[in-house]
Amino acid sequence: MVKLNKIYTRTGDDGTTGLVDGSRLPKHATRMQAVGDVDEANAALGYAAVLAEGAVQEDLFRFQNDLFDLGADLATPLGEFGGEDFEPSEMVLRIVTAQVSHVETRIDALNERLEPLTSFVLPGGTELSARLHHARTVARRAERCMTALAEAESVNPAALAYINRLSDWLFVAARIANDEGKADVNWVPGANR
């Protein structure tokens, strides 16, 4: 259980931040950038959820919770406290394949309502669609940072799959918010030459 009595601790005043295992990293370390990008993606989902309704809003709330799990996963490197693999435990929170599978199920359910794409889609249309597209781009940035981290350190494969599928869900949900794709703004190559 998390209990925060005091918001400021002064422990980060030296430019470092603490990980779940008690170690400290520079705030600009790739691992911390990935955690921050995931946090920003979570905020973007919250911004979209304000306008969403029904199943899309429920999905957004669920995915926000998953993104906190993902942040905790990234903040727990492998090692003594983080174990020798990416299996969750009582002390270690990890993204699991069931979370990835759930996002895939939700993508499939929404995608059934859409006609196939015949053009690339520009971010926009309704305000909700624009917010979902923005959240998608933030999730893609988080994914890029996570893959950069994975080149240097071990990253949970399920975490990488999760952020990738989330951005796919956000794309499909943005199309749903555009009258199930009927109000999508299509790219016209070279239109302004």
Side-chain angles (χ1 to χ4, degrees), residues 81-141:
F81 188 74
E84 296 304 317
D85 56 25
F86 288 105
E87 289 298 315
S89 69
E90 188 175 314
M91 296 297 296
V92 178
L93 188 57
R94 297 287 186 202
I95 292 290
V96 296
T97 56
Q99 288 168 291
V100 178
S101 296
H102 177 79
V103 181
E104 291 173 348
T105 299
R106 295 303 303 137
I107 292 168
D108 293 343
L110 290 179
N111 208 37
E112 286 178 4
R113 298 165 44 187
L114 298 170
E115 293 295 320
L117 283 171
T118 58
S119 171
F120 285 107
V121 175
L122 299 177
T126 66
E127 184 176 357
L128 175 57
S129 179
R131 289 182 185 194
L132 290 164
H133 275 296
H134 181 254
R136 173 185 57 79
T137 65
V138 177
R140 286 287 190 212
R141 179 168 17 98

Side-chain angles (χ1 to χ4, degrees), residues 8-145:
Y8 64 91
T9 62
R10 296 187 175 116
T11 58
D13 291 352
D14 65 353
T16 65
T17 193
L19 297 177
V20 174
D21 65 1
S23 64
R24 298 193 68 79
L25 285 178
K27 291 184 179 193
H28 61 273
T30 304
R31 181 172 296 279
M32 297 319 304
Q33 289 176 352
V35 170
D37 285 351
V38 167
D39 188 35
E40 188 177 348
N42 202 335
L45 265 62
Y47 190 57
V50 170
L51 294 179
E53 298 175 344
V56 169
Q57 187 180 59
E58 290 171 20
D59 285 346
L60 285 165
F61 290 153
R62 179 180 178 135
F63 299 153
Q64 282 190 286
N65 198 80
D66 286 350
L67 286 178
F68 258 81
D69 291 354
L70 178 55
D73 188 325
L74 291 169
T76 310
L78 287 181
E80 183 179 332
F81 188 74
E84 296 304 317
D85 56 25
F86 288 105
E87 289 298 315
S89 69
E90 188 175 314
M91 296 297 296
V92 178
L93 188 57
R94 297 287 186 202
I95 292 290
V96 296
T97 56
Q99 288 168 291
V100 178
S101 296
H102 177 79
V103 181
E104 291 173 348
T105 299
R106 295 303 303 137
I107 292 168
D108 293 343
L110 290 179
N111 208 37
E112 286 178 4
R113 298 165 44 187
L114 298 170
E115 293 295 320
L117 283 171
T118 58
S119 171
F120 285 107
V121 175
L122 299 177
T126 66
E127 184 176 357
L128 175 57
S129 179
R131 289 182 185 194
L132 290 164
H133 275 296
H134 181 254
R136 173 185 57 79
T137 65
V138 177
R140 286 287 190 212
R141 179 168 17 98
E143 181 182 17
R144 289 190 302 273
C145 195

Side-chain angles (χ1 to χ4, degrees), residues 121-122 124-126 129 174-186:
V121 175
L122 299 177
T126 66
S129 179
R175 293 196 66 217
I176 291 293
N178 274 341
D179 192 20
E180 298 190 352
K182 296 176 194 76
D184 280 341
V185 181
N186 291 329

